Amino acid sequence: MNNLTKRTSKPVPEDVLYQLKEIVGHSGYLDDPAEIAPYCMSWRDNWVGSTPLVLRPASVDEVSRLVKVCASAGVPIVPQGGNTGLTGAGQPHGNGSEVIISTSRLRAIRDIDTLNDTITVESGVVLAEIQRRASEYDRLFPLSLGAEGTCQIGGNISTNAGGVQVFRYGSTRNLILGLEVVLPDGRVWDGLRALRKDNTGYDLKQLFIGGEGTLGVITAAVLRLFPKPIETQTALVAVRSPHAAVELLAHLRGQMAEHLSTFELMRRICIDAVIELIPGHGDPLATKFPWYVLMETTGQGPIGSLREPLEEALASALENGIADDVVIAESGEQRRRLWAIREDQGEVQHRIGTGIKHDVSIPVSRIAEFIERADAALAAAYPGIRHYAFGHVGDGNIHYNPIAPADWAGDAFARERGPINRIVHDIITDLRGSISAEHGIGQLRIEQAEIYKPAVELEMMRAIKRALDPNNLMNPGKILRL
Amino acid sequence: MNNLTKRTSKPVPEDVLYQLKEIVGHSGYLDDPAEIAPYCMSWRDNWVGSTPLVLRPASVDEVSRLVKVCASAGVPIVPQGGNTGLTGAGQPHGNGSEVIISTSRLRAIRDIDTLNDTITVESGVVLAEIQRRASEYDRLFPLSLGAEGTCQIGGNISTNAGGVQVFRYGSTRNLILGLEVVLPDGRVWDGLRALRKDNTGYDLKQLFIGGEGTLGVITAAVLRLFPKPIETQTALVAVRSPHAAVELLAHLRGQMAEHLSTFELMRRICIDAVIELIPGHGDPLATKFPWYVLMETTGQGPIGSLREPLEEALASALENGIADDVVIAESGEQRRRLWAIREDQGEVQHRIGTGIKHDVSIPVSRIAEFIERADAALAAAYPGIRHYAFGHVGDGNIHYNPIAPADWAGDAFARERGPINRIVHDIITDLRGSISAEHGIGQLRIEQAEIYKPAVELEMMRAIKRALDPNNLMNPGKILRL
C-alpha cells in the first residue's frame, strides 16, 4: 500500500535540524538513513515514509522544547511509540518534510499507588513492562494484545487499543485517569490526575485518547489497576453459528456476570489453518464444528470456586442446544494450547493466502446478521472466496478478513481491496456499525472514514483539530484531512 | 447566592418568541410567568434566573428547528432536564435574554436490546424509569442517586453524574455508548451508536458528557445495561479513622474484587444527626465510633454465596485491627435501615446548621491526609466548627461540608463561604484533587475553576467551546466564561 496523501511541504531546514539536535544531544537523535529506516516503515501493510531526523527525547521538557522549535519553524511532527500500529498512523509521509518524535526513551515509571490502584508511567514504557510491574504489586493492568512485548503505552493510548480483555475491563480509554501531553505549540498540559471523579469541565484527555497523535504528544499517563485474579478457567466451546455464540454469551453473562473476561469467536477455517501450518496444534475437540468460542472466567475466590459454576453454565448451554461441545482446560498447559489457537491467528492468516482485513464492530445482537450478509455478498461477487473471521464477540468486534479463492494467483485479490471494502463497510454501515473498532484510522482508513462517517461529525472533528492545532503540525494527514 | 455573571444582552425579540412558539405549538411552551418560575429556580442554593419562554419540544426535529431559529436570531439557549442540578447549570441568567429548552417531553424509550445489553432513550426520560425498564428485562442500569425519581438522563449525562454505584460501574460517562445531539447551529449529530468499540476518530460524545449543555442539546442516548445482581450483602463497619477506611477498602477489594459495589464513609456526626433529627433511626452498633463505612457486595451466585466470603473478609479486618465493629444486614428491612442513614444525609445536614458544601475528590490514598489537614485548618480558623463529612470513599470523593459552630447565628457562617472554599480547595489542589468531583461547575464553581484549573486547560476548553459554538449561544456563562 502506498501513501495516499499528496503533500507539497518543503524539506526541514538545516538550521531547524541543528536546533532540534542541540536540544536532545548526541544520544537523543538518529540522522543516519539506515538507522532511521525502521522508524519509517510499519511491520505490516508496508507503510513507508521518509524523514531526515528521528528525535528521541529523554524528558517531557525536551519534548516541549522540540515541539516549540518545530512550531515556530512550521515543521510537522509525527509522534511514534513502539511502531506496532496497523494503520500507518505512526509513519511519516513520503516527502521528508516531517520529523519523528519517538517516545522510546520516556521510560520512567513515576509512581505506583496501591491504595489508589493507579500506576503513573511515561508514554514510552512498554505495555508488558506495565503488566509486569502491576503484577509485582499484586495488581492487574488488564490491557493485553499481541504486540504487548513491543508496543508502548503512549501508542496504546493514542490508538485507544483494544485486545482480549476489553469485554471485562473496557478499551484503553477506560483504563486512563490522567494524561500529560505536549500540545502542538509546545506547552505542557498537566492533566496527570489520579482521580476517579473530576467534573470540572470538558474531559480533555478523551480527545488525546484515540487521537492518533494529531492533537499532541502524550508524555505520561495515570493508569487504573485492578485486583489480580487468582483463579482462571478457560474453555473452548463449539457452536453451530454466530447467533448461537451470541446466545451463549448472554447465557454466560447472566450466570457469571463480570467473571466472564474473554469471549472470542473463531471460524472452523481458523482452526484448520493453525493445525495445517503451525506444528504442535491438534484438533481441540473430537468432532469438527463450524464455529468455536474461546472463553475465560476469572475471579478472586479460592482456586476452583469458578469451576463448578462454569461447568453448570456450560452444561445447561449444551442441554438447551446453544452449545454443541465443550472442553474446559484441565491444566495450565491445556489452557496455553487453547489460547495458542487464538494467538496464532495473526500469523497464520497471512500464510494461507492474500487476505483483506476488516476491523469492524456492530451491536452484539447483529453479529450473526453481519456475518451472514457479508459472507453471501462476497461469495456472490467472488466465488470460492474463503471466509476467514475471528474476533472479540463480547465487544461486537469482528476481524472479518476474507482470503483469496485458492486458485487466485499473484496480487489479483489485493487489487480487489476497494470493492471488497465497499461491500463489507456498506453492510457495516447499514447495521450502524464501525469501520474501525480497535485499530484506528491512521492513513489506512482515512478515505473510508470520509465515505462512511456523517458529514457533521467530520466537520466537528476538523473544528476541534483546527482549534487545538491551528497550523496542522501534529501528525498531519492522519485520522482526518483538513 | 446571586447570579454572579453580569450580562448585557437584549431581551428576546417578540418575532423570535412567536416563531419559536409556532414550532412547538400550544402544548409545547410556557410563557405565563407563574408557570415559568419553577424552571428558573433551583431546588437548592437559590439559583434564580429569568426567561420569557420555556420551550418543551416533543421531538428531535422540533429541537433542531428551535435551535436554528435561536441561532439565526442570536438568542442564547439554556437546556434543562429535571432541574435537580446543584450548581446552577440549568438556570438562565437574570436578564431574561435566554430561552429555556426543556427536554421533559422527549420521553420515548426507543429500543431495548438484551443481546447487546443496551437501552436507547430520549434525554427526557427520568432516571428511575430507565432503572425500572432495565429491571423488567432482568438487567441493571447502575446509575443511582438521590434525585433519581425526578432527574432526567439528559441532565445526568450533561453533568456526568456520579452516585453510589460509581465504585463498581463508573460515572455516567462509563455508561454511555452513543449520543444524539442538536448542535449550537441546529444541526443534528447522529452519534447514536450502540457499539462497545469505535475507533474512527475523536470520541466526540465525551465532550457532551459533562459538558453541562454548553456545546449542544442532548436529545437521546444509548446506555449500557448490566446483568442484574441477584444477591446483595450490606454491612456497616466501624473504623477509627479515614485511613483505616481506606485500608479496609484495599483489603476488601483484594478479597472480593468487582463484587464490592458500594463503599461509603460517614463521620459519627452524620449518625448523630439522623438519630437526633429523623424519627426511626437508632444507633446501628452498641458502641459509638468516630467513623463508619456503609458497604455492599453484589453478585450473581446462588443466594448466600457472598455471605461467607464477606464474613471472612470482615472477620480478618477485625482481627488485623483495620475494623473495630461490624453489623451485616440480616434482612431487607435491616438493609433498608442501614441505607437510610446514608440517604438521609442530604436532608439532615441542612437542619443542624448552616453548612458550606464541597464536592471534592482526591486519590483514594490521600483521603485521610485531606481530612486531617482540612479539619485542622478549619478548626484553627473557626473554633467550634462542626466537621460534617461523608462520601464515596471508593471513588476518592468526599462531600466535605463543614457546619457553623453551634453558637453562630444568622448568615454569619454563609458569609465565610469564600475563605472556607479557599482553605479547602487550596488543600485539595495541593493534593492534586478536584474541586468538583461529581456535581460539575455550572455557575456555582466557575470562579473557583478559574482559580484552580491550569491556565492551559482553561484555554483548551475555551478553544473547543469557540470551535463548536462560535457565537456562544449554548448555555453561555456555565462551566467557563469566554
Side-chain angles (χ1 to χ4, degrees):
Chain A
M1 199 171 314
N2 285 315
N3 184 332
L4 296 164
T5 307
K6 291 202 172 54
R7 298 177 71 257
T8 55
S9 302
K10 300 169 197 159
V12 186
E14 282 301 323
D15 65 309
V16 175
L17 293 174
Y18 178 81
Q19 287 178 64
L20 294 171
K21 291 175 184 175
E22 282 285 292
I23 290 169
V24 291
H26 273 299
S27 53
Y29 69 85
L30 306 170
D31 61 358
D32 174 344
E35 288 183 313
I36 285 177
Y39 291 81
C40 292
M41 292 190 301
S42 65
W43 69 277
R44 202 180 89 174
D45 296 330
N46 299 327
W47 293 104
V48 182
S50 163
T51 183
L53 186 62
V54 173
L55 293 153
R56 302 173 73 245
S59 68
V60 182
D61 179 60
E62 284 186 6
V63 177
S64 169
R65 287 158 63 202
L66 292 173
V67 174
K68 279 178 182 164
V69 167
C70 289
S72 80
V75 171
I77 294 162
V78 179
Q80 190 181 92
N83 197 13
T84 62
L86 298 172
T87 66
Q91 273 65 54
H93 297 286
N95 58 14
S97 68
E98 300 162 312
V99 297
I100 290 176
I101 294 185
S102 163
T103 52
S104 50
R105 288 173 77 215
L106 299 172
R107 272 195 306 233
I109 293 190
R110 293 192 193 164
D111 183 54
I112 295 182
D113 181 342
T114 53
L115 284 178
N116 196 43
D117 276 335
T118 48
I119 183 169
T120 305
V121 299
E122 293 188 344
S123 55
V125 179
V126 168
L127 174 54
E129 168 74 4
I130 299 172
Q131 297 167 342
R132 197 156 45 233
R133 291 301 292 274
S135 185
E136 284 170 19
Y137 287 83
D138 210 25
R139 296 293 185 280
L140 173 74
F141 182 63
L143 184 64
S144 175
L145 42 89
E148 63 195 26
T150 312
C151 62
Q152 296 171 16
I153 191 66
N156 297 143
I157 296 169
S158 295
T159 315
N160 185 28
V164 294
Q165 300 227 69
V166 172
F167 180 64
R168 179 163 179 178
Y169 297 99
S171 294
T172 303
R173 185 180 304 283
N174 191 46
L175 308 176
I176 307 297
L177 294 185
L179 292 181
E180 177 187 82
V181 181
V182 175
L183 300 177
D185 61 7
R187 288 182 303 171
V188 178
W189 172 48
D190 177 3
L192 211 54
R193 293 173 199 136
L195 306 174
R196 278 170 181 73
K197 286 181 173 176
D198 176 26
N199 278 352
T200 57
Y202 307 143
D203 192 0
L204 299 169
K205 68 177 178 291
Q206 305 291 352
L207 291 172
F208 301 98
I209 301 170
E212 301 191 11
T214 63
L215 299 175
V217 183
I218 295 171
T219 51
V222 180
L223 313 175
R224 291 170 66 191
L225 300 177
F226 295 80
K228 184 158 70 172
I230 58 177
E231 181 190 1
T232 301
Q233 297 287 349
T234 307
L236 190 79
V237 186
V239 291
R240 78 190 48 136
S241 66
H243 181 71
V246 170
E247 282 191 312
L248 178 66
L249 174 66
H251 172 74
L252 291 173
R253 194 156 147 81
Q255 307 252 318
M256 316 205 63
E258 284 82 353
H259 290 297
L260 190 62
S261 57
T262 294
F263 198 89
E264 300 280 307
L265 184 70
M266 289 176 286
R267 222 169 186 144
R268 176 67 209 182
I269 189 175
C270 304
I271 313 280
D272 289 336
V274 292
I275 293 173
E276 183 187 334
L277 296 169
I278 300 190
H281 282 287
D283 219 317
L285 294 165
T287 319
K288 291 184 180 187
F289 295 92
W291 294 87
Y292 298 81
V293 169
L294 177 68
M295 56 150 298
E296 211 157 75
T297 61
T298 58
Q300 307 306 112
I303 299 296
S305 71
L306 287 176
R307 178 76 184 204
E308 205 178 309
L310 179 63
E311 282 174 358
E312 281 171 19
L314 290 175
S316 66
L318 288 168
E319 272 167 39
N320 301 342
I322 303 173
D324 292 317
D325 199 359
V326 165
V327 55
I328 303 180
E330 298 290 343
S331 66
E333 170 57 18
Q334 200 178 355
R335 173 174 182 256
R336 199 199 56 68
R337 286 219 308 277
L338 292 177
W339 265 102
I341 299 173
R342 173 65 182 86
E343 285 165 350
D344 286 342
Q345 292 306 315
E347 186 188 338
V348 82
Q349 60 179 321
H350 295 272
R351 293 166 56 184
I352 60 173
T354 305
I356 295 179
K357 297 184 182 63
H358 302 94
D359 167 35
V360 297
S361 66
I362 47 274
V364 172
S365 51
R366 310 195 83 170
I367 287 173
E369 186 181 352
F370 162 68
I371 291 176
E372 280 162 27
R373 285 177 61 179
D375 281 0
L378 288 177
Y382 303 96
I385 197 169
R386 287 174 284 177
H387 299 296
Y388 215 89
F390 58 95
H392 317 292
V393 164
D395 319 320
N397 175 195
I398 306 291
H399 297 302
Y400 186 83
N401 301 342
I403 292 178
D407 54 353
W408 283 38
D411 61 354
F413 195 67
R415 284 196 305 268
E416 298 299 316
R417 179 182 306 277
I420 288 176
N421 278 342
R422 191 83 208 202
I423 288 170
V424 173
H425 291 161
D426 277 357
I427 296 169
I428 280 295
T429 303
D430 193 44
L431 296 173
R432 297 188 69 81
S434 169
I435 63 163
S436 184
E438 62 176 7
H439 297 163
I441 297 294
Q443 303 179 65
L444 175 65
R445 303 208 192 277
I446 201 160
E447 293 183 53
Q448 298 277 300
E450 287 169 0
I451 294 169
Y452 291 104
K453 279 181 87 76
V456 64
E457 194 163 321
L458 290 168
E459 282 173 43
M460 278 197 282
M461 282 174 56
R462 290 190 185 109
I464 287 163
K465 170 73 171 172
R466 287 196 193 99
L468 298 181
D469 183 17
N471 299 314
N472 194 22
L473 293 178
M474 200 55 81
N475 215 10
K478 316 293 170 61
I479 270 195
L480 51 80
R481 296 186 281 206
L482 294 185
Chain B
M1 200 172 311
N2 285 314
N3 185 330
L4 297 164
T5 308
K6 291 204 173 52
R7 299 178 70 256
T8 54
S9 303
K10 300 170 199 159
V12 186
E14 282 301 324
D15 66 309
V16 175
L17 293 174
Y18 178 80
Q19 287 179 66
L20 294 170
K21 291 175 184 176
E22 282 286 290
I23 290 168
V24 291
H26 272 297
S27 54
Y29 67 85
L30 305 171
D31 60 357
D32 174 344
E35 288 183 314
I36 285 177
Y39 292 80
C40 292
M41 289 191 303
S42 66
W43 69 278
R44 202 179 89 175
D45 296 331
N46 299 327
W47 294 103
V48 182
S50 164
T51 183
L53 187 61
V54 173
L55 293 154
R56 302 174 72 245
S59 69
V60 181
D61 178 60
E62 285 186 4
V63 177
S64 169
R65 287 158 62 206
L66 293 172
V67 174
K68 279 178 184 163
V69 167
C70 289
S72 80
V75 170
I77 294 162
V78 179
Q80 190 181 91
N83 196 12
T84 62
L86 298 173
T87 66
Q91 273 65 55
H93 297 287
N95 57 15
S97 68
E98 301 162 311
V99 296
I100 290 176
I101 294 184
S102 163
T103 53
S104 50
R105 288 173 76 214
L106 299 172
R107 269 193 308 231
I109 293 189
R110 294 193 192 165
D111 183 54
I112 295 182
D113 182 342
T114 53
L115 284 177
N116 197 43
D117 276 335
T118 48
I119 183 168
T120 306
V121 298
E122 292 187 344
S123 54
V125 181
V126 169
L127 174 53
E129 168 73 5
I130 299 172
Q131 296 168 343
R132 197 157 43 231
R133 291 301 293 272
S135 185
E136 284 170 18
Y137 287 83
D138 211 25
R139 296 293 185 279
L140 173 74
F141 182 64
L143 184 64
S144 176
L145 43 88
E148 63 196 27
T150 311
C151 62
Q152 296 171 15
I153 191 67
N156 298 142
I157 296 169
S158 295
T159 315
N160 184 29
V164 294
Q165 300 226 70
V166 172
F167 181 63
R168 178 163 181 179
Y169 296 99
S171 295
T172 303
R173 184 179 304 282
N174 191 47
L175 308 175
I176 307 296
L177 294 184
L179 291 181
E180 178 187 82
V181 181
V182 176
L183 300 176
D185 61 7
R187 288 182 303 171
V188 178
W189 172 47
D190 178 3
L192 211 53
R193 293 173 199 137
L195 306 173
R196 277 170 182 72
K197 285 181 173 176
D198 177 26
N199 278 351
T200 57
Y202 308 142
D203 192 358
L204 298 170
K205 68 176 177 291
Q206 305 291 352
L207 292 172
F208 301 98
I209 301 170
E212 302 190 11
T214 62
L215 299 175
V217 183
I218 295 172
T219 51
V222 180
L223 313 176
R224 293 170 66 190
L225 300 177
F226 294 80
K228 185 158 69 173
I230 57 176
E231 181 191 359
T232 301
Q233 298 287 348
T234 307
L236 189 79
V237 187
V239 292
R240 79 191 47 138
S241 66
H243 180 71
V246 170
E247 283 191 312
L248 178 66
L249 173 67
H251 172 74
L252 292 173
R253 194 157 147 79
Q255 306 253 317
M256 316 204 66
E258 284 83 354
H259 290 298
L260 191 61
S261 58
T262 294
F263 198 88
E264 300 281 305
L265 185 68
M266 290 176 283
R267 219 167 189 147
R268 176 66 209 182
I269 188 176
C270 304
I271 314 279
D272 289 334
V274 292
I275 293 173
E276 183 188 332
L277 295 170
I278 299 190
H281 282 288
D283 219 317
L285 294 166
T287 320
K288 293 184 179 187
F289 294 91
W291 294 87
Y292 297 81
V293 169
L294 177 68
M295 57 152 296
E296 210 157 75
T297 62
T298 59
Q300 307 306 111
I303 300 296
S305 72
L306 286 175
R307 177 77 183 206
E308 204 178 310
L310 178 62
E311 283 174 357
E312 281 171 20
L314 289 175
S316 66
L318 287 168
E319 270 166 40
N320 300 341
I322 302 172
D324 291 316
D325 199 358
V326 165
V327 55
I328 303 181
E330 298 290 345
S331 66
E333 170 58 19
Q334 199 178 357
R335 174 177 182 253
R336 200 198 56 69
R337 286 220 308 277
L338 291 177
W339 265 103
I341 299 173
R342 173 64 182 83
E343 285 165 350
D344 286 341
Q345 293 306 315
E347 187 189 337
V348 81
Q349 59 180 322
H350 295 272
R351 294 166 56 185
I352 60 172
T354 304
I356 295 179
K357 298 186 179 63
H358 301 94
D359 168 36
V360 297
S361 67
I362 47 273
V364 173
S365 51
R366 308 195 84 171
I367 286 173
E369 186 181 353
F370 162 68
I371 291 177
E372 279 162 28
R373 283 177 60 180
D375 282 359
L378 288 178
Y382 302 95
I385 196 169
R386 286 173 287 176
H387 299 297
Y388 216 89
F390 59 96
H392 318 292
V393 165
D395 318 320
N397 176 194
I398 305 291
H399 296 303
Y400 186 83
N401 300 343
I403 291 179
D407 55 351
W408 283 38
D411 61 353
F413 195 67
R415 283 197 303 271
E416 297 301 314
R417 180 183 305 277
I420 289 175
N421 277 343
R422 190 83 208 202
I423 288 170
V424 173
H425 291 161
D426 277 358
I427 296 168
I428 280 294
T429 303
D430 193 45
L431 296 172
R432 296 187 69 82
S434 168
I435 63 163
S436 184
E438 61 177 7
H439 297 165
I441 296 295
Q443 303 180 65
L444 175 66
R445 303 206 192 277
I446 203 161
E447 293 183 56
Q448 298 278 300
E450 287 170 359
I451 294 169
Y452 291 104
K453 279 181 87 76
V456 64
E457 195 163 320
L458 290 168
E459 283 174 43
M460 278 196 281
M461 283 175 57
R462 290 192 184 107
I464 287 163
K465 169 72 171 172
R466 287 197 192 97
L468 298 182
D469 182 17
N471 299 315
N472 194 22
L473 293 178
M474 200 55 82
N475 215 11
K478 315 293 169 61
I479 269 195
L480 51 78
R481 294 186 281 206
L482 295 183

